[in-house]
Amino acid sequence: MEKAMQTETVKVNIDGKVLEAKKGTNLLNLLKSNGFDIPTLCYHEKLSRTGACRLCLVKVDGKLTTSCTYEIENDINVITEDDEISFLRKGVFELLESEINADCENCPLDGVCEIQKLGERFGVKLSPKDEIYEKDDSSVVLRYDPNKCVKCFRCIKACDEIQGKGVLNFAYRGSQLRVVAGIGRWETSECDGCGECVQACPTAALMEKSLINYGKILPFEKHKTTCIYCGVGCQIELWVKDNKIVKVEGANEIPNNGSLCVKGRFGIDGVLKEDRLKKPLIKKDGRFVEVEWDEALDYVAERLIKIKKEYGADAICGLSSAKCTNEENYIFQKFMRAAVGTNNIDHCARLCHASTVAGLMMAFGSGAMTNSIAELEHADVILVTGSNTTEAHPVISTFIKRAVKFNKAKLIVVDPRKIDLTRYATIHLQQRNGTDVAWLNGMMNVIINEGLEDKEFIRTRTEGYEEFKKVIEEYTPERVEKITGIKKEDLIEAARLFGKAKNASIVFAMGITQHTTGTDNVLSIANLSMLTGNVGKAFAGVNPLRGQNNVQGAGDMGALPNVYPGYQKVDSPDTIEKFEKAWNTNLPNKVGLTILEMINGILNGKIKAMFVMGENPALSDPNLNHVREALNEVEFLVVEDIYLSETAEFADVVLPACSFLEKDGTFTNTERRILPIKKVFEPIGESKPDWQIICELSSRMGYDMHYNDVSEIMDEIATLTPIYAGFSYDRLNEKLQWPIPTKEHKGTQFLHKDKFTRGLGKFHPVDYIDPAELPDDEYPFILSTGRILYHYHTGTISRRSDYLTEYINEPYVEINPYDAEKCGLKNGDMVRISTRRGSIVLKALFSERVVVGSVFIPFHFKEAAANVLTNDALDPIAKIPEFKVAAAKCKIEKVKNNEA
C-alpha cells in the first residue's frame, strides 16, 4: 500500500501545459526540470527548503505560495508569471538589495555571482552601500563579509546538511542578523576549511581569501578533472585565468556530488610551485647537473642494460605509483616485465592495502571495495574501524555523517583514538592497538550465541562455517575484554546492533591493514560480513578505503610482483602465454619482490638497480634508517617525479614528469570507479607524461613501445584485463565501476550479487596473535602513526600549498595528559620519541584522543619522520609492514627547544 501511494500521480496544469507528477513532488523541482525559469536565491538543489527569499513565488489555484516549499498532493493549476507575481518578486529583490553592499565594481566575482544576475533580470541596479559590520578574516582560507550577506541560509544548511558539521549559524536579531562560525569568529570554531559554505553562497559574502585582492576573475575557462588527494576521486572544476588556477569548486557529479575537502579546494596550488622539476638531472661528482632528454634516457638505458647483462634481469626492481594514471602504471609494469624481464615491481599498495587484497581474495575472490560510496548514506548500521575517515577521506565521511544525522543509521566506531567520528557514534569501542581479531571474533561470538547470524546466507552462499565456528566459540566477551580492554557490555551492545541490522556496512582502512596480522584482520571482517549476510547486496558490504588517488588503479594495472593487470597470476602458465602473445616477448615466470624485499635485496647485494616512478620510499617506508641506507647503497637509482623528493635526492638520474594537470588519463577510485583526468596546462619546462618517458626508455632498451595517445593504451588494457574489458575512452563520462565485462555493460555498483567471485564465500578460522612488539619497561608506550586532514602522504604536494601549510606545518606527537604529567612535560615541549630503530624530536601536544600508554604521530613531516620509528616486521601473507603497533615500544625524554 505504501509503495502504491508513493507512485500515485496527479495532474499539474502549469501556464496551460498539463504535466503528470508523483504525489509529494516538490513544485519548484518540477518547474525547473520542465524548463520553467523560476528565480531563486535561497534555493539550492541539495538543501532543504526554507522559502526565505520569496523570489520563487507562484500562484497555486490562485493563491500565492513559495514554490520551493510546496509539495504536490492533488491536481493543481499553477501560474508562474503575471503582473502581480512580477511586481512582488521585484519588490522582494529590491528589499534584499537595499540591505547589502553590492559593490560589484570592486568585487572579484563581478559577472559571476547569482544576486548580480538576478539584478539584471529584475532591472534593478545593484549599488555599493556603507559597510556597517566588520568582516571576519580569521579563517585561513575564506572571508565572511556580513555586509554582502542576504541571510539565505544556504551556507548554514550546506555546512549542516551536506558536510554534516553544523559549524555555522545565525546570531543577533533583526537587521543585525548575520552568520557566525561556532560561537564567534571562524578561527575559534571547528571549521576545517572544506569551503562548502563558499560554494553555496550566492553572493560574495563568503569568498576564498585568494580572490580578495586578485581583481576580477572574468574572463576564465572551466576545466573538469579528478582530484589527486586521497582515494575518493572527487570531481573538481578548475577556474583558470592567465594560465593560473584562480578558484576550485566541486563538480556536481559522482562520486562527490559537488563537495570537496580543504585539500581538494585549497591545496591544488601545491602542484604548480616554482621548484617543479623542469629538466632531466644526472648526478655528476655528487651534484645534480641538468642535461637534455636524449642524454638522460641514453644513460639510463645503458646502465640498466649493463646491469641486466652482468647480474640478470632480477637484479633490477621498480616502484610504480598510485599517484600516476592507470595508463602509466600499465606501461610501467609492461616495461619492467617485457623490456627489463623481471616481476620485481611493486607500489605503495604494499604499504597500505596489500592485506586487504590478500584477505578479500581468499574470502570472496576479489580484493576490492564491494559497494559504492553513496550507499553508505542509506545503510542501517555502519561499522567504522581503523579509519579516521573525517581526516583521511573527508568527503566519504560526509556520507556517513548524513546517514546518522538524517537517516537514523547507527554508527559503531572501533578505534584506539577518539577520532572525530566518535561524536556521531552510537557506540565507541576503544580497543588496545593490534587486538582487532579478538574483538571481531568476540562480536561474532555474541551474534552466533544470540542467533543473529544469517543462517540461509551461510547455508547457500558460503563454505567453511563449522570449522570457523569452533574458533569463534573460544572468544567470549569476558576473554575479549581481557585482550582488548573493551568492556564486555559494550562489545555485546555493538554485536547486537550489527547482527540485527537489515543492511550493515563495514568501513576500514590502514588501522586494520598495517599490522603483521593485517590479513587476519581482513579475513575476520569478511567473516563478520558473511556471518550476517551483509555482502552481495546494496547498502552493505566490506568497504576498504584506499589511501592514495589511484592505489586501486595501480593494483588493477598489475603494478604488483605477483599479478598482471586484472589480478592475473604471474606464475600461471595460461596467463604467461596470454601476455607473451599480446606483448610479443618472453616473460618471467616467478613472483617478484615486494618493496621491503627490494630494500633488503639491495643490502644483501642481489638488487643492483632501482627505478622509482612517483613514489617516495625515503619518507613513506618503515624503519627509514634501513631504507635510506639501501637507497644510498644501491648501484644505480633512477627517480621519475614532479619535484625533487627525499627519494630523488639519493638518485643517480632524476627524470621530470608531468603532474595530473598536464596530461590525460584515468584514475580508478576506492569504489572501483574509473574517472577521467584531463589536461589543463602545457607541461612545465621540459617535463613529460610518465607513460611517454617509459615508452622512450623501453625503446632504447630494445623493446619498442609506441602509442599515439593514452586512449590507445586503455584499449590495450581492455583487451587483456577482463574487469576492464568493456571500457574505452568513448565511455569516460559514464564513470563506470568495474567489472565492466562488455561494451554494453553499465558497470557494477556492488560486487558478489548472487555469487561470490570465487563461487562460495569462504569462512576462515582466525586466532588472535599479539603484535610483533609490545610495550615493556624500557619502551612503555604504544606508538601509532597516521594521516591528518591538512596534509597528504609524504607532503610532497600538500606541504607546498600556501593554505594547507598555514593550518599546520610542523611535526608533533599526541600524548595523553596523564602520561605527559608522569614524564614531566608541558604542552608544547620538545620531546624525543625513541624506538629500537631510531629516534626523532618533535613537539608534544596534550590530547585525550589517545588513551593512556599510547602516542600518535602523523607521518607527513620529513623533519621528524615518524617512519624512522616504525617496524618493518611483515605480515607473512601480504608482506605489509606493521606501521600501527610494531614500533610500539617508545620512550619519551624531555628535550630543550635548542636541542631539537
Side-chain angles (χ1 to χ4, degrees):
M1 181 67 179
E2 183 179 342
K3 187 174 181 181
M5 288 291 291
Q6 288 175 347
T7 57
E8 189 176 343
T9 60
V10 294
K11 291 183 178 179
V12 183
N13 186 320
I14 307 172
D15 296 341
K17 180 179 181 180
V18 179
L19 302 172
E20 284 194 346
K22 291 180 181 179
K23 279 193 173 184
T25 297
N26 178 270
L27 177 55
L28 180 58
N29 286 347
L30 180 69
L31 293 169
K32 283 182 171 292
S33 64
N34 283 279
F36 292 91
D37 185 16
I38 308 299
T40 61
L41 192 63
C42 68
Y43 168 84
H44 190 287
E45 61 182 355
K46 294 197 291 182
L47 303 175
S48 61
R49 317 296 182 232
T50 61
C53 74
R54 321 301 289 175
L55 292 178
C56 68
L57 283 170
V58 297
K59 288 181 179 176
V60 176
D61 294 333
K63 295 181 179 179
L64 286 164
T65 187
T66 50
S67 58
C68 71
T69 61
Y70 190 93
E71 308 299 321
I72 304 169
E73 296 296 336
N74 303 294
D75 294 349
I76 56 174
N77 292 298
V78 180
I79 297 174
T80 66
E81 191 86 36
D82 63 15
D83 289 345
E84 184 181 13
I85 292 171
S86 298
F87 175 78
L88 289 172
R89 285 176 181 167
K90 183 175 181 180
V92 167
F93 184 79
E94 287 174 336
L95 284 173
L96 287 171
E97 192 279 333
S98 70
E99 293 183 350
I100 64 170
N101 175 27
D103 187 12
C104 301
E105 180 83 17
N106 298 305
C107 180
L109 299 179
D110 183 22
V112 176
C113 84
E114 292 180 41
I115 197 165
Q116 190 178 34
K117 293 176 181 178
L118 285 169
E120 293 171 1
R121 174 173 181 157
F122 292 120
V124 176
K125 182 175 175 57
L126 276 64
S127 59
K129 317 286 191 311
D130 292 336
E131 293 194 350
I132 302 171
Y133 306 111
E134 180 185 358
K135 301 181 183 72
D136 187 347
D137 283 312
S138 62
S139 165
V140 170
V141 293
L142 61 87
R143 180 189 69 182
Y144 173 61
D145 183 354
N147 302 288
K148 291 180 168 61
C149 180
V150 292
K151 290 86 172 175
C152 65
F153 278 93
R154 278 166 55 168
C155 62
I156 294 171
K157 286 178 174 286
C159 184
D160 184 48
E161 297 177 7
I162 299 176
Q163 286 288 328
K165 295 169 183 170
V167 174
L168 305 183
N169 212 328
F170 278 131
Y172 311 103
R173 296 189 177 195
S175 62
Q176 297 196 22
L177 186 73
R178 53 190 183 271
V179 176
V180 295
I183 58 172
R185 294 169 63 80
W186 250 265
E187 64 183 345
T188 58
S189 75
E190 293 184 344
C191 173
D192 62 21
C194 73
E196 192 80 52
C197 58
V198 177
Q199 187 158 326
C201 182
T203 72
L206 281 161
M207 184 190 297
E208 298 91 336
K209 272 193 170 178
S210 59
L211 292 180
I212 292 173
N213 297 313
Y214 179 80
K216 298 187 187 301
I217 65 173
L218 279 175
F220 61 87
E221 297 176 349
K222 290 185 179 182
H223 298 267
K224 287 182 183 177
T225 191
T226 300
C227 180
I228 40 79
Y229 287 118
C230 93
V232 179
C234 291
Q235 299 302 285
I236 57 176
E237 188 175 79
L238 307 176
W239 296 21
V240 175
K241 181 179 181 181
D242 299 331
N243 217 35
K244 294 180 180 179
I245 298 171
V246 296
K247 183 179 172 72
V248 179
E249 289 201 335
N252 194 24
E253 300 175 5
I254 51 175
N256 53 309
N257 300 321
S259 294
L260 293 176
C261 76
V262 64
K263 293 190 293 293
R265 195 180 302 275
F266 298 107
I268 300 298
D269 65 311
V271 176
L272 298 171
K273 295 304 180 181
E274 277 302 309
D275 60 336
R276 276 281 299 276
L277 292 168
K278 300 177 180 68
K279 285 182 71 74
L281 305 173
I282 293 179
K283 191 172 284 180
K284 299 180 180 181
D285 298 324
R287 298 179 63 187
F288 284 120
V289 177
E290 289 187 348
V291 298
E292 299 302 320
W293 271 107
D294 283 341
E295 180 181 349
L297 292 175
D298 286 346
Y299 180 61
V300 172
E302 176 187 322
R303 292 292 304 272
L304 292 178
I305 290 169
K306 182 179 179 182
I307 288 169
K308 180 179 176 180
K309 285 181 178 178
E310 188 170 349
Y311 301 104
D314 287 336
I316 302 171
C317 66
L319 296 183
S320 201
S321 177
K323 292 182 281 293
C324 293
T325 65
N326 287 322
E327 295 76 8
E328 289 165 335
N329 278 285
Y330 175 83
I331 291 298
F332 190 84
Q333 62 83 35
K334 182 177 179 181
F335 164 74
M336 291 301 298
R337 289 173 167 130
V340 177
T342 182
N343 284 319
N344 290 342
I345 175 173
D346 210 353
H347 74 288
C348 71
R350 180 70 47 204
L351 305 177
C352 56
H353 275 287
S355 44
T356 293
V357 175
L360 294 186
M361 279 285 201
M362 292 163 66
F364 300 160
S366 171
M369 184 170 171
T370 63
N371 290 59
S372 304
I373 294 169
E375 292 175 51
L376 290 168
E377 194 167 349
H378 305 286
D380 301 306
V381 170
I382 304 170
L383 168 60
V384 176
T385 181
S387 167
N388 187 2
T389 322
T390 56
E391 298 202 60
H393 300 89
V395 170
I396 289 180
S397 77
T398 66
F399 289 86
I400 296 172
K401 287 185 282 188
R402 289 197 299 270
V404 174
K405 293 186 69 171
F406 306 116
N407 294 338
K408 299 181 180 179
K410 304 297 184 184
L411 175 62
I412 303 167
V413 174
V414 188
D415 199 291
R417 294 171 74 218
K418 293 178 183 177
I419 60 173
D420 180 65
L421 273 184
T422 60
R423 296 192 294 171
Y424 301 83
T426 305
I427 187 167
H428 174 208
L429 305 181
Q430 204 163 7
Q431 85 279 33
R432 295 190 184 100
N433 287 56
T435 61
D436 300 295
V437 165
W439 68 259
L440 282 159
N441 282 354
M443 280 185 64
M444 290 186 280
N445 176 284
V446 174
I447 288 168
I448 293 171
N449 286 338
E450 298 196 1
L452 301 176
E453 75 274 26
D454 189 330
K455 297 179 179 63
E456 180 65 14
F457 186 91
I458 293 167
R459 185 181 66 82
T460 61
R461 297 286 309 275
T462 70
E463 62 182 345
Y465 177 69
E466 292 303 324
E467 186 180 357
F468 150 81
K469 186 178 176 183
K470 291 176 184 176
V471 172
I472 297 302
E473 290 172 354
E474 303 298 320
Y475 287 85
T476 63
E478 292 79 11
R479 183 188 175 199
V480 170
E481 181 172 348
K482 291 178 181 178
I483 296 171
T484 66
I486 296 171
K487 292 180 180 179
K488 67 177 185 178
E489 296 82 6
D490 293 339
L491 183 78
I492 292 169
E493 181 186 351
R496 287 172 178 165
L497 272 178
F498 195 90
K500 292 177 181 179
K502 182 180 178 182
N503 300 305
S505 177
I506 304 175
V507 173
F508 71 92
M510 286 163 277
I512 282 291
T513 60
Q514 290 179 330
H515 297 268
T516 50
T517 56
T519 303
D520 287 349
N521 292 344
V522 174
L523 287 171
S524 298
I525 284 174
N527 288 340
L528 176 59
S529 184
M530 290 187 291
L531 181 67
T532 54
N534 279 299
V535 64
K537 64 180 183 179
F539 318 129
V542 174
N543 300 298
L545 304 185
R546 307 298 193 184
Q548 295 196 46
N549 55 294
N550 199 34
V551 72
Q552 180 65 57
D556 295 346
M557 295 302 105
L560 296 164
N562 60 328
V563 290
Y564 284 101
Y567 305 97
Q568 301 169 85
K569 295 185 181 300
V570 299
D571 53 0
S572 162
D574 290 342
T575 300
I576 294 170
E577 181 181 359
K578 171 183 175 178
F579 280 89
E580 285 185 339
K581 183 178 179 180
W583 293 347
N584 193 31
T585 190
N586 294 323
L587 294 170
N589 60 6
K590 66 178 183 179
V591 173
L593 300 179
T594 65
I595 290 177
L596 296 187
E597 289 172 334
M598 293 174 190
I599 296 299
N600 291 332
I602 292 171
L603 293 173
N604 67 29
K606 292 183 179 179
I607 295 294
K608 303 296 182 181
M610 174 179 269
F611 195 125
V612 179
M613 180 181 76
E615 292 280 285
N616 194 11
L619 204 54
S620 64
D621 289 15
N623 194 1
L624 279 185
N625 289 331
H626 182 68
V627 173
R628 291 167 178 173
E629 179 186 1
L631 294 175
N632 196 53
E633 289 291 325
V634 69
E635 186 174 315
F636 186 58
L637 176 62
V638 183
V639 173
E640 188 173 301
D641 215 322
I642 67 172
Y643 288 110
L644 191 69
S645 67
E646 290 75 18
T647 302
E649 291 173 359
F650 288 91
D652 297 285
V653 180
V654 179
L655 304 176
C658 290
S659 78
F660 82 112
L661 295 172
E662 299 131 36
K663 60 189 176 186
D664 296 316
T666 59
F667 295 147
T668 302
N669 78 341
T670 189
E671 61 179 348
R672 300 170 282 106
R673 194 179 300 278
I674 305 169
L675 301 167
I677 65 163
K678 296 180 180 179
K679 183 177 178 181
V680 179
F681 302 115
E682 291 302 313
I684 301 292
E686 296 179 18
S687 62
K688 296 183 179 184
D690 294 273
W691 68 271
Q692 288 186 12
I693 297 170
I694 301 302
C695 284
E696 290 182 34
L697 178 60
S698 182
S699 297
R700 282 171 164 81
M701 292 185 65
Y703 183 78
D704 186 50
M705 278 203 287
H706 175 77
Y707 302 87
N708 290 314
D709 55 38
V710 286
S711 69
E712 289 187 2
I713 302 174
M714 181 53 74
D715 289 342
E716 182 174 315
I717 292 168
T719 64
L720 294 169
T721 312
I723 56 177
Y724 281 68
F727 185 76
S728 59
Y729 266 47
D730 59 4
R731 305 191 74 183
L732 266 180
N733 291 332
E734 295 181 55
K735 299 182 175 65
L736 301 172
Q737 292 171 275
W738 66 253
I740 315 160
T742 67
K743 293 290 185 184
E744 298 73 36
H745 198 274
K746 298 299 183 182
T748 306
Q749 177 185 324
F750 58 88
L751 301 177
H752 314 305
K753 182 181 180 182
D754 302 323
K755 180 182 178 181
F756 284 98
T757 305
R758 69 180 301 278
L760 293 174
K762 186 173 182 179
F763 283 100
H764 289 78
V766 180
D767 257 319
Y768 168 72
I769 301 170
D770 281 335
E773 286 184 342
L774 290 172
D776 57 19
D777 290 340
E778 185 180 3
Y779 296 95
F781 291 92
I782 293 178
L783 164 69
S784 186
T785 65
R787 304 181 183 210
I788 60 174
L789 174 63
Y790 297 106
H791 288 292
Y792 171 71
H793 204 48
T794 60
T796 305
I797 295 172
S798 64
R799 295 196 69 193
R800 284 178 166 84
S801 165
D802 295 338
Y803 294 100
L804 299 180
T805 51
E806 195 172 335
Y807 276 105
I808 186 166
N809 199 30
E810 63 177 346
Y812 63 88
V813 55
E814 289 182 1
I815 181 170
N816 188 279
Y818 175 82
D819 289 324
E821 185 178 350
K822 284 176 62 178
C823 295
L825 293 175
K826 294 179 181 177
N827 199 20
D829 276 349
M830 301 299 291
V831 300
R832 186 182 306 280
I833 308 292
S834 301
T835 70
R836 289 184 169 86
R837 286 155 294 280
S839 66
I840 59 176
V841 174
L842 67 175
K843 181 183 290 187
L845 294 183
F846 294 5
S847 174
E848 293 190 353
R849 285 167 59 121
V850 290
V851 296
V852 173
S854 295
V855 292
F856 171 83
I857 302 176
F859 74 94
H860 310 291
F861 303 98
K862 64 181 180 180
E863 308 94 301
N867 284 321
V868 166
L869 309 174
T870 50
N871 197 340
D872 52 4
L874 298 179
D875 177 309
I877 297 173
K879 297 182 181 179
I880 188 171
E882 190 153 45
F883 286 102
K884 297 305 180 191
V885 282
K889 303 171 183 177
C890 311
K891 58 182 178 180
I892 301 178
E893 305 164 356
K894 186 172 179 180
V895 176
K896 295 179 182 178
N897 287 355
N898 60 8
E899 292 178 17

